[in-house]
Amino acid sequence: MEFSYINPTQIEFGQGKINKISQLIAKDKRVLFLYGGGSIKKNGVYTQVIKALENHTFFEFGGVEPNPTKETLDKAIAFGRENKVDYILAVGGGSVIDGSKYVSNAFFYEGDGWDLLEGKFTPTKALDIGAILTLAATGSESNSGSVITKGETKEKRFFHSPFSYPKFAILDPYVLKSLDDRQLVNGIVDAFVHTCEQYLTQPHGALAQDYYCEGLLRGLVELADTFESRDDLWYANLMWLANQALNGLIGLGVPQDWATHFIGHELSGLYGIDHARTLAIIQPNLLTILADEKKDKLLQMGENVFRLNTNNSLDVVEKIRALYSSLNIDLKISSYTDDTKIIEKVTSLLEKHGFTEFGDRGTVNKAVVVKILEKSI
Ligand code: NZQ
Ligand code: ZN
């Protein structure tokens, strides 16, 4: 175990916290208020933000899409430069917050912001970001990751930057109540798979990380089991569990996998499938194929998360598949697209993006991806 750890994002958790932005953002800032397709105008969040910013100078930019595109975000950069903004307030789910990270890091760069995603540009300065989270899933509100799509080529890529940690994140669980079942399910699944990508690897003996992961996974299973009878605490638990699953803590000093995510990102880029749904499709099939090499951790998960008494790692994979099915997720790519060239397209994009031998042991190569996709179509 060896790591450096800092998570600088101030978390403000609880109902009614949105008005705190009036204190959290300095009064002399010129704020770029970034949001998505308009859900915030229907659920009262927009009104709360406008009220809280009444003593600030701010400029609105709406229309950041789910799976945000660099094309839209480049427009936000131009708009922000025109108005000489020096702070970004991101109000939305992972897409808006990820988008704000692209805008922030590319803001002072004269080249193409996509260079961030290709590792050709490392920023030395950026705009500060504050976040109001409206969808619990990605953990983007207090991590340094950002996933952006290039509409022109349908490539979906990610970058990390120390500037991308929001200065603060407002987590008001009440805001989640306007989410439909589909997005709530997405939240459970994304957080579940984030935890698995840092847990279902190989034995490492780091007890805090292992047992914390198991706690998060048990919590998420409980939320899935009580989905139909959810109360206020259910939403608060989802918001905090999803945050903890990808705020950097559970992956410290331990092997990580992320193969499901890398394959899933190509599927979202190509076909616009919701991020979490790509994970629910791919992960059980990936685990089926890697059930032997992941046997130890799968059996540990079976015992400590599902309370399963088995020596067969495939039984645990079936529990995971059943969990996703219980949330009414279509687990076949063919439910989302008629394309007949899925395998060719996904494998060639993975190769282009440098994913030729990945997973925590480097065993996920093209042949393995083909097998996973054959099971997933
Ligand atoms: O755009 P609006 O109108 O706001 O509607 C959104 C969007 O249509 C809606 N929504 C959000 N909050 C709502 C709401 N509707 C009603 N009430 C609310 N309170 O939900 C839809 C989906 O929003 P989106 O932000 O796209 O969802 P999510 O938070 O799942 O983010 C997904 C994106 O994050 C990336 C994914 O790849 C995807 O692009 N990820 C980011 C990560 C990170 N930064 O660490 C890690 C993840 O693994 C993931 O890859
Ligand atoms: Zn994810």
Side-chain angles (χ1 to χ4, degrees):
M1 251 204 284
E2 194 175 305
F3 54 82
S4 303
Y5 180 59
I6 179 167
N7 188 317
T9 304
Q10 174 178 345
I11 304 280
E12 291 292 342
F13 194 101
Q15 191 172 349
K17 290 274 187 166
I18 291 177
N19 66 23
K20 272 210 114 179
I21 59 173
S22 63
Q23 297 150 41
L24 290 166
I25 306 172
K27 288 283 177 320
D28 60 346
K29 292 292 179 193
R30 294 170 67 81
V31 181
L32 175 63
F33 167 18
L34 205 64
Y35 58 93
S39 69
I40 61 166
K41 292 198 170 160
K42 296 190 199 122
N43 62 8
V45 170
Y46 178 83
T47 318
Q48 290 182 64
V49 172
I50 298 291
K51 171 108 191 49
L53 289 181
E54 64 189 0
N55 294 318
H56 282 80
T57 305
F58 68 93
F59 305 88
E60 275 182 53
F61 187 97
V64 177
E65 323 82 335
N67 301 319
T69 64
K70 68 107 65 201
E71 287 84 353
T72 299
L73 299 167
D74 285 340
K75 289 183 192 150
I77 292 176
F79 176 75
R81 285 180 185 154
E82 241 168 65
N83 291 296
K84 301 192 170 35
V85 302
D86 53 9
Y87 199 97
I88 306 177
L89 177 64
V91 185
S95 293
V96 173
I97 300 175
D98 282 5
S100 74
K101 296 176 181 182
Y102 175 95
V103 173
S104 154
N105 283 275
F107 195 78
F108 298 108
Y109 180 53
E110 284 174 9
D112 183 351
W114 189 249
D115 289 348
L116 281 166
L117 284 298
E118 297 202 326
K120 294 180 186 159
F121 162 60
T122 306
T124 51
K125 62 175 182 167
L127 292 182
D128 284 350
I129 300 168
I132 298 176
L133 183 66
T134 66
L135 193 162
T138 62
S140 184
E141 67 277 9
S142 66
N143 70 34
S144 62
S146 171
V147 190
I148 306 295
T149 297
K150 189 175 192 174
E152 186 196 340
T153 56
K154 296 188 184 302
E155 284 173 274
K156 185 169 188 180
R157 307 204 63 183
F158 63 88
F159 77 99
H160 286 267
S161 159
F163 299 112
S164 290
Y165 284 102
K167 296 287 161 205
F168 66 80
I170 309 274
L171 276 61
D172 175 349
Y174 193 80
V175 165
L176 304 183
K177 292 201 170 175
S178 57
L179 287 162
D180 58 17
D181 286 6
R182 167 177 154 196
Q183 296 299 346
L184 289 170
V185 162
N186 285 353
I188 296 174
V189 172
D190 198 17
F192 191 87
V193 179
H194 290 160
T195 312
C196 290
E197 302 270 43
Q198 299 165 89
Y199 169 76
L200 279 180
T201 53
Q202 46 199 289
H204 48 63
L207 300 182
Q209 290 87 326
D210 254 4
Y211 297 154
Y212 200 61
C213 284
E214 288 163 6
L216 297 177
L217 293 169
R218 285 175 60 187
L220 291 161
V221 170
E222 212 167 304
L223 294 190
D225 289 345
T226 53
F227 191 81
E228 296 304 336
S229 57
R230 50 191 188 269
D231 57 9
D232 288 356
L233 196 52
W234 190 97
Y235 289 96
N237 276 318
L238 176 63
M239 206 163 212
W240 193 231
L241 286 163
N243 176 276
Q244 296 294 291
L246 199 52
N247 73 346
L249 188 73
I250 58 176
L252 294 173
V254 298
Q256 300 191 17
D257 189 319
W258 299 105
T260 294
H261 267 73
F262 298 150
I263 301 170
H265 284 166
E266 307 300 3
L267 289 171
S268 287
L270 284 166
Y271 307 115
I273 307 172
D274 290 353
H275 169 64
R277 280 158 207 262
T278 67
L279 308 177
I281 295 167
I282 295 298
Q283 191 212 27
N285 296 326
L286 177 143
L287 292 174
T288 301
I289 286 158
L290 301 183
D292 273 341
E293 75 170 47
K294 289 185 183 289
K295 184 171 182 185
D296 292 331
K297 291 307 285 280
L298 278 167
L299 292 182
Q300 185 181 330
M301 180 177 184
E303 190 176 340
N304 293 348
V305 176
F306 293 116
R307 306 290 182 226
L308 206 60
N309 186 9
T310 181
N311 278 321
N312 183 350
S313 49
L314 287 171
D315 291 344
V316 184
V317 178
E318 287 319 309
K319 281 297 266 188
I320 297 173
R321 201 189 304 274
L323 176 77
Y324 301 153
S325 294
S326 77
L327 293 167
N328 296 320
I329 302 179
D330 270 322
L331 296 180
K332 291 285 177 196
I333 305 173
S334 49
S335 307
Y336 304 85
T337 173
D338 299 334
D339 195 353
T340 52
K341 299 257 182 294
I342 297 166
I343 295 182
E344 292 88 323
K345 288 184 187 168
V346 171
T347 51
S348 89
L349 277 174
L350 283 170
E351 196 172 346
K352 180 173 176 196
H353 297 152
F355 296 118
T356 48
E357 288 175 333
F358 52 116
D360 58 292
R361 299 170 201 241
T363 50
V364 182
N365 55 23
K366 184 172 173 182
V368 172
V369 173
V370 169
K371 278 193 211 156
I372 295 167
L373 289 171
E374 280 169 352
K375 279 183 173 294
S376 305
I377 289 171

